[in-house]
Amino acid sequence: MKPAASTLVCAGCGWAAPPPEELRYPFRCPRAGRGDTDHVVTRKLNSLRVELARGDDPNPFIRYRELLHSWHLARRRGLSDAAYVALVRELDVAVARVDGRAFRTTPFGRQNALSDRLGFGPTGGVWVKDETGNVSGSHKARHLMGILLYLQVVERGERPGLAIASCGNAALAAAVLARAANRPLQVFVPLDADAVVLDRLGTLGAQIESCPRQPGSKLHSRTLWN
Ligand SMILES: [Zn+2]
């Protein structure tokens, strides 16, 4: 059997995740906490086996789908390319219905007013990548969309609940995606979470759990899928 074009590997210690038939949710390295290394499970591409079609679809999850682990997994499991594209498209339409924004390439260009203020001539200038129009207002939804596509492929119609620990943007992003995918979501927030964020999370149907921060701990976004 040919080696997989895409695998999940821990960037910290090299642990290779078994296929989903053996381990359905390989998002956490089993050696996490061991040694002075950050155990982060990442997608590793076999560059000899990846070919990019490079279409011009405005949705980057469709345009660059050959780079996604979920696309390789879907193809190995017998899903056609067209069926995968339809899955992304359907989710994207649902995201736009919930948030008013879909996943699109964000604009990048020369900002003339800013360039003039800073004294640049016509051959120079300041170029800005504008990320403010992202789904849920930050880049966080893009990270979670990759995981959600994996779940949609692996779970095939089941819709188990999701959970996230976050004090802001990641929680909002998760709430939009969970709503779009019609899945329940628990959000674990610190006691001093922003009232505006909590209000929006409630509107999106997330179940909010307030947790005291443990002394000495830093809070990062952590995504858990039960
Ligand atoms: Zn590891």
Side-chain angles (χ1 to χ4, degrees), residues 6 8 17-27 68-79 84 87 91 145-160 162 183 225-226:
S6 162
L8 296 178
E21 295 76 25
E22 292 169 40
L23 181 63
R24 209 176 200 195
Y25 304 117
F27 304 131
L68 297 174
H69 183 66
S70 57
W71 182 82
H72 291 281
L73 197 59
R75 300 291 287 124
R76 276 215 306 279
R77 295 183 144 211
L79 207 67
Y84 182 87
L87 186 155
L91 210 45
M145 180 68 168
I147 300 175
L148 184 57
L149 287 171
Y150 172 93
L151 295 178
Q152 300 288 96
V153 168
V154 166
E155 291 171 345
R156 295 194 174 197
E158 293 172 44
R159 297 185 195 275
L162 309 173
R183 290 166 179 259
W225 313 89
N226 50 347

Side-chain angles (χ1 to χ4, degrees), residues 10-15 29-32 37-41:
C10 175
C13 72
W15 171 76
C29 176
R31 299 177 194 142
T37 185
D38 214 3
H39 295 266
V40 180
V41 177

Side-chain angles (χ1 to χ4, degrees), residues 63-145:
R63 187 186 298 185
Y64 302 111
R65 62 191 178 278
E66 294 94 342
L67 298 176
L68 297 174
H69 183 66
S70 57
W71 182 82
H72 291 281
L73 197 59
R75 300 291 287 124
R76 276 215 306 279
R77 295 183 144 211
L79 207 67
S80 71
D81 180 53
Y84 182 87
V85 169
L87 186 155
V88 179
R89 190 102 53 210
E90 189 185 323
L91 210 45
D92 198 44
V93 167
V95 165
R97 207 179 297 131
V98 172
D99 192 61
R101 292 164 283 206
F103 286 105
R104 294 291 176 269
T105 304
T106 50
F108 177 57
R110 186 179 189 277
Q111 295 299 306
N112 294 335
L114 188 57
S115 300
D116 291 348
R117 280 287 291 275
L118 293 171
F120 283 96
T123 56
V126 179
W127 287 59
V128 173
K129 178 77 168 162
D130 182 359
E131 298 284 0
T132 58
N134 269 312
V135 168
S136 81
S138 80
H139 62 93
K140 296 291 175 86
R142 288 178 185 258
H143 308 305
L144 297 177
M145 180 68 168

